[in-house]
Amino acid sequence: MEENKVIEGAAVENAAPQAKVANEEFNWDVFENDLDLYGGSKEEVEKKYDESLSNVQVGEVVEGTVVGITKREVIVNIGYKSEGIIPIAEFRYNPELAVGEKVEVYVESAEDRKGQLVLSHKNARQLKSWDRVNQALENDEIIKGYIKCRTKGGMIVDVFGIEAFLPGSQIDVKPIRDYDIYVDKTMEFKVVKINQEFRNVVVSHKALIEAELEAQKKEIMSKLEKGQILEGTVKNITSYGVFIDLGGVDGLIHITDLSWGRVNHPEEIVRLDQKLNVVILDFDDAKKRIALGLKQLSPHPWDALSADLKVGDKVKGKVVVMADYGAFIEIAPGVEGLIHVSEMSWSQHLRSAQEFMKVGDEVEAVILTLDREERKMSLGIKQLTPDPWADIELKYAVGSKHKAKVRNFTNFGVFVEIEEGIDGLIHISDLSWTKKVKHPAEFTQIGADIEVVVLEIDKDNRRLSLGHKQLEDNPWNAFEQQFAVDSIHQGTITELTDKGAIVSLGENVEGFAPAKQLAKEDGTTAKVGETLDFKVIEFSKATKRILLSHTRLFEEVKRQEAQAERAERRKADDAAKDSVKKINAAVEKTTLGDIASLAELKARMESAAEAKEE
């Protein structure tokens, strides 16, 4: 305690001497009792003081001066006995607000419970905002706005307390990739459109810089020349090309002018904001279109192609494009050759190129044609393997037997493949010795294996004539005796036509019965599936034809019976005639009495003969 007293005493000794009251005879009694201290009552003095202050009306918009700014509040003096406090959030559209700046405020209350003047800058702005916005549009005025948030197609901007729409296309002259970086920012705008009915406001930041850019574009366009090389920045990438900013004017590099090689998408070549040199290919001053090129800055790859490369050489490359008719192979950037589908395999079958390769495959091929002037090249891959037709006579000699696979049908035969590249035709007549084949589908099916015999070789046209029935001996040599004319065989009707019926006479043997030869003994006609006896009425080894008849079987029996009956009658007639002759001879030698007896006998015999004939 003593220590504190020492310190306090020291402080008193060092303190400045107290100020003396100027009027030592000040009448405190008068002051404390509110007597006429200033030549009038206290009420009169307060009244005069109030008259010296501004006359503030609640609900009025007045102009004030910013006298202080804190982290949370802005202190504004409007000439009233107390200063007003406004949340700093109401000034977020104007981050450059400074002490001494004049602002409009709305008087909400002369004093609150704390005796504080209550002001609002936001309400003041809103009361006058519509007039201000219309005035800004009429005067083409540049105004400030606060970007509150994103919305569909653009941004919402606080302008004079009104929520205005800022389209995404009106934020800047270049495409915007990230809209979020503009949120909570204050920017300058121009009012470009107002809908008075719905009180909608559209603003633009792009409009502020377009006029300046237009002047820059005119200057740049006036200096452009074809073939000129300029530096630019990748502004936008699309599927069809790249837009380049040349410093105020845009140009387009079409995807075909990015590289001498094939480009699936421009992103394979360039990236956003990349700086690169480009050459001017063409431009339209009126439309302000500029065509640019990138690949033209390097020599054409065909010009750099080795002079030693020739037809017959083997090359390696990558499949870059596929089509049904073939594949394009890139053997160097910008140098491509076509492998036609016919050069992919020695096979003659119609096939798609996709069956052999796909995009991205690394392949080896042989150069078939090379045209440096036209910059065209054709390639082949089947040439990497021996031609199977080179020694066809040795490998598939006439008469040799092989297994083949059925590939296709025609009305006249079956196309088969013995091996890759070796195809042949089995004519429909060479499928079976005995069966009448109307279509190959009745005999075999596509994809099935079939045994064949080489009948003929056409090396020039790469064709083989093949047979299947030749695997067996010709059974018609044996059939000639087995199915001799007039021989009778049991057969089953397998098919009926208007002309007749196909009759199966056993395994792999068929005959034909004409329609009129199908009548049965009871008067009906034979049907499919019936098994009957048939008589061979005609046999041809040359045409391999057996003609049959069922009708003749019972017709001939009747004919034979009729012939036998006629023979019996002739025999009886002959016997009667002989008897008459004998009687006549005897009559000549007898007497008249005998003659009468004989005549009676003759009459009886003739009557008996006539009765028998009837």
Side-chain angles (χ1 to χ4, degrees), residues 282-341:
D282 198 4
F283 61 92
D284 187 336
D285 196 7
K287 297 181 180 178
K288 296 181 174 59
R289 293 179 181 173
I290 305 174
L292 304 174
L294 183 63
K295 71 180 185 182
Q296 288 78 3
L297 296 176
S298 59
H300 197 289
W302 271 89
D303 298 334
L305 199 63
S306 174
D308 297 331
L309 203 64
K310 62 186 183 300
V311 172
D313 286 351
K314 296 179 181 179
V315 292
K316 292 183 178 180
K318 183 172 71 173
V319 180
V320 290
V321 174
M322 290 296 303
D324 289 339
Y325 58 84
F328 288 91
I329 312 299
E330 186 178 59
I331 64 172
V335 179
E336 296 178 5
L338 172 64
I339 305 179
H340 193 270
V341 67

Side-chain angles (χ1 to χ4, degrees), residues 207-337:
L208 298 177
I209 51 180
E210 279 185 332
E212 182 181 350
L213 288 176
E214 192 63 30
Q216 291 180 8
K217 285 182 182 179
K218 288 182 180 180
E219 184 179 356
I220 293 172
M221 294 291 289
S222 64
K223 296 179 180 178
L224 292 181
E225 295 179 4
K226 290 183 182 180
Q228 186 179 5
I229 299 175
L230 300 173
E231 183 182 60
T233 304
V234 177
K235 179 178 179 181
N236 191 24
I237 301 175
T238 68
S239 59
Y240 56 86
V242 179
F243 287 94
I244 304 296
D245 183 357
L246 299 174
V249 65
D250 294 344
L252 173 64
I253 307 176
H254 194 268
I255 189 172
T256 56
D257 290 313
L258 284 170
S259 171
W260 291 112
R262 287 187 181 266
V263 180
N264 294 318
H265 196 280
E267 290 177 346
E268 299 174 5
I269 308 296
V270 299
R271 64 181 184 277
L272 288 172
D273 300 324
Q274 179 183 353
K275 292 188 179 295
L276 43 79
N277 289 329
V278 293
V279 62
I280 297 176
L281 304 179
D282 198 4
F283 61 92
D284 187 336
D285 196 7
K287 297 181 180 178
K288 296 181 174 59
R289 293 179 181 173
I290 305 174
L292 304 174
L294 183 63
K295 71 180 185 182
Q296 288 78 3
L297 296 176
S298 59
H300 197 289
W302 271 89
D303 298 334
L305 199 63
S306 174
D308 297 331
L309 203 64
K310 62 186 183 300
V311 172
D313 286 351
K314 296 179 181 179
V315 292
K316 292 183 178 180
K318 183 172 71 173
V319 180
V320 290
V321 174
M322 290 296 303
D324 289 339
Y325 58 84
F328 288 91
I329 312 299
E330 186 178 59
I331 64 172
V335 179
E336 296 178 5

Side-chain angles (χ1 to χ4, degrees), residues 155-183:
M155 318 290 286
I156 297 297
V157 181
D158 184 336
V159 177
F160 304 136
I162 293 177
E163 288 190 346
F165 177 60
L166 172 63
S169 61
Q170 295 300 312
I171 297 175
D172 205 337
V173 291
K174 54 188 177 183
I176 304 302
R177 300 179 199 124
D178 184 8
Y179 285 83
D180 291 333
I181 62 174
Y182 292 92
V183 177

Side-chain angles (χ1 to χ4, degrees), residues 522-580:
D522 59 3
T524 61
T525 301
K527 299 178 182 179
V528 173
E530 283 193 79
T531 300
L532 304 168
D533 287 336
F534 290 89
K535 185 176 184 177
V536 178
I537 58 177
E538 183 182 327
F539 179 89
S540 174
K541 179 181 175 181
T543 60
K544 298 178 178 58
R545 177 182 173 89
I546 301 176
L547 199 63
L548 304 171
S549 174
H550 172 71
T551 305
R552 285 195 183 184
L553 291 175
F554 61 84
E555 282 182 345
E556 288 187 355
V557 170
K558 289 182 179 180
R559 189 181 305 114
Q560 289 175 357
E561 290 177 350
Q563 288 176 352
E565 187 177 351
R566 285 196 294 272
E568 284 291 330
R569 289 178 179 176
R570 282 198 297 272
K571 186 177 179 181
D573 290 344
D574 291 342
K577 290 178 181 178
D578 288 342
S579 297
V580 171

